[in-house]
Amino acid sequence: MGSFLGIAHALIISFLVSVVAGHDSCQNPRVRREWRSFELDERAEWIRAVNCLASTPHDPNLVPSVPANLSLIPPVNESSSFYDDIVYLHMDLNIKIHWTGLFFPWHRYYIQFFENALIEKCGFEGAIPYWDWTIDAPDMYNSPFFDNSSFGGIGGWGDPADDFQIYTGGFKDAIRAYPTPNRIRRNYTLYPFENPNLGNLFANDPNAPPPPSNFMINSSLTKENVEYTVNSFEGNFIAMHAYTESLAGLHPGAHFILGGDMTGTCPNGAVPPACYGGPKWTPNDPVFFMHHAMIDKIWYDWQKKSPKNRFSYGGGSVEALSSFATFTEFPTGLPPYLNFDSPIPGDGLWNVTIWDVMDTTGDTLCYTYA
């Protein structure tokens, strides 16, 4: 029986590869490069385009799909910007796109949607950069990645005397609409689990082990950890996903160490019902898209590592956060299970399926990574 299943799996993979190979709509894929490979004028142009989206009007097609009593977010601000719309999309769908099978495919299309908007609405002609945080992990606080220059710099760490708001770099004047009007905030946080409320997914479960308060989160963001992820879990997307999105894993690690908006903490003075913390408005900081391009690159590299990985996929559609035991059993979500035909929710801003994003050089997507 085992050999039969192995042959059947190989035939399915062969068929899927042949289907993709028959598509030729992606002739000149955009190449996503690491931020430091950008020339200064390229960096400045990307920053200009991102700021342009923050001056572009709200799209009335954005319609939240998650009930407000579940999303715990404010209503759409119709006087906000298109950049804020993109943030709101992540806020509204938060409980569907983390710790479920949607995590990788949803964020893959989300950053593609962002890139498309930069091109179509703001005249950007390149591809979005990714941030290889393994370069910076040994000394994130002093990394030149956080460049204070007004021309071509993404800005540094926030002012601790002013809610960790940033006042340097190309985004220093950016005001975000959600959860309440605020500047971008960055708060270097090497030990995120010293805060008992940060990363505690199971506060109501007495059997849940607390995250170790002395854990240095930069130890997750190493080249060795990335290589381990790419080279492991052959043919097992669910295991690769569970490892990447684990609480101290590659995905949360960069969010935690940047703190502020990237961690989803509420701005000073913003309290319920105006603000409930969580990984909702994390895209307020454009570094979010650079980080998630890196996470997407890890999936991209893993897919290319083995034919068994290329179309491996699975996961549930409901977060399994009711208890630590349940999450341990279903780290990528409870049933109903997702499949290639499952839609990737977009709150009225797109209409794509998981199959559409399984190949970055197919009919829907057209990019590679350098």
Side-chain angles (χ1 to χ4, degrees):
M1 176 64 105
S3 61
F4 172 79
L5 291 176
I7 293 171
H9 182 264
L11 289 172
I12 291 171
I13 293 298
S14 177
F15 170 74
L16 292 173
V17 170
S18 68
V19 168
V20 171
H23 294 177
D24 58 0
S25 58
C26 180
Q27 294 295 314
N28 297 295
R30 294 180 181 274
V31 179
R32 294 179 179 173
R33 297 179 287 130
E34 210 277 332
W35 177 247
R36 276 155 282 222
S37 74
F38 278 41
E39 299 293 340
L40 181 60
D41 60 342
E42 291 180 296
R43 297 183 191 185
E45 172 59 11
W46 184 75
I47 291 170
R48 178 205 64 78
V50 172
N51 286 331
C52 164
L53 287 184
S55 301
T56 302
H58 157 71
D59 186 340
N61 290 314
L62 174 66
V63 179
S65 58
V66 176
N69 66 314
L70 297 179
S71 66
L72 299 177
I73 61 175
V76 173
N77 181 343
E78 295 184 358
S79 63
S80 63
S81 71
F82 188 75
Y83 189 100
D84 293 318
D85 287 346
I86 295 174
V87 173
Y88 194 91
L89 182 61
H90 190 273
M91 293 168 59
D92 182 54
L93 296 171
N94 168 54
I95 63 172
K96 293 185 176 184
I97 59 175
H98 299 113
W99 299 293
T100 74
L102 279 173
F103 172 74
F104 270 110
W106 190 90
H107 285 88
R108 172 170 280 184
Y109 194 74
Y110 184 62
I111 59 177
Q112 180 63 60
F113 181 77
F114 179 72
E115 182 177 276
N116 291 347
L118 293 175
I119 294 167
E120 296 165 6
K121 296 180 180 292
C122 293
F124 183 63
E125 295 183 351
I128 62 171
Y130 65 91
W131 171 32
D132 183 356
W133 21 253
T134 69
I135 299 170
D136 313 290
D139 187 8
M140 188 75 73
Y141 186 79
N142 294 305
S143 170
F145 174 80
F146 298 99
D147 185 352
N148 290 322
S149 304
S150 296
F151 186 81
I154 63 166
W157 300 100
D159 181 355
D162 192 10
D163 196 20
F164 297 97
Q165 297 182 101
I166 65 170
Y167 289 95
T168 62
F171 303 119
K172 67 181 186 302
D173 297 320
I175 304 294
R176 304 296 187 228
Y178 302 112
T180 57
N182 67 98
R183 291 179 179 272
I184 297 169
R185 295 167 300 134
R186 293 188 194 135
N187 175 15
Y188 177 71
T189 309
L190 185 60
Y191 297 95
F193 305 131
E194 285 183 337
N195 179 347
N197 297 317
L198 193 60
N200 190 352
L201 300 176
F202 314 103
N204 297 321
D205 182 356
N207 298 314
S213 60
N214 63 344
F215 182 77
M216 298 173 65
I217 199 66
N218 66 335
S219 64
S220 295
L221 303 174
T222 64
K223 181 179 179 181
E224 292 76 15
N225 202 10
V226 170
E227 290 177 346
Y228 171 79
T229 306
V230 171
N231 294 322
S232 303
F233 316 111
E234 186 177 30
N236 192 340
F237 173 87
I238 289 177
M240 185 277 294
H241 171 192
Y243 184 79
T244 305
E245 207 185 1
S246 61
L247 189 58
L250 296 169
H251 168 245
H255 280 280
F256 281 141
I257 203 165
L258 262 67
D261 282 310
M262 278 284 279
T263 308
T265 58
C266 291
N268 280 350
V271 297
C275 182
Y276 293 90
K280 302 174 186 177
W281 49 88
T282 48
N284 272 350
D285 190 337
V287 173
F288 170 99
F289 296 97
M290 304 166 79
H291 166 49
H292 269 276
M294 176 66 174
I295 294 297
D296 184 60
K297 182 180 185 296
I298 291 171
W299 182 23
Y300 169 92
D301 289 340
W302 182 82
Q303 285 183 296
K304 291 192 171 300
K305 186 67 180 180
S306 166
K308 294 180 181 179
N309 296 351
R310 189 170 183 186
F311 294 105
S312 177
Y313 178 73
S317 58
V318 180
E319 290 179 332
L321 302 182
S322 59
S323 70
F324 179 73
T326 304
F327 178 74
T328 301
E329 185 176 0
F330 300 97
T332 64
L334 291 160
Y337 290 113
L338 300 165
N339 57 56
F340 288 151
D341 293 327
S342 300
I344 297 176
D347 281 0
L349 297 182
W350 65 60
N351 182 22
V352 295
T353 67
I354 288 171
W355 171 252
D356 292 328
V357 302
M358 291 301 295
D359 180 13
T360 68
T361 55
D363 288 339
T364 302
L365 306 175
C366 191
Y367 67 87
T368 62
Y369 284 99

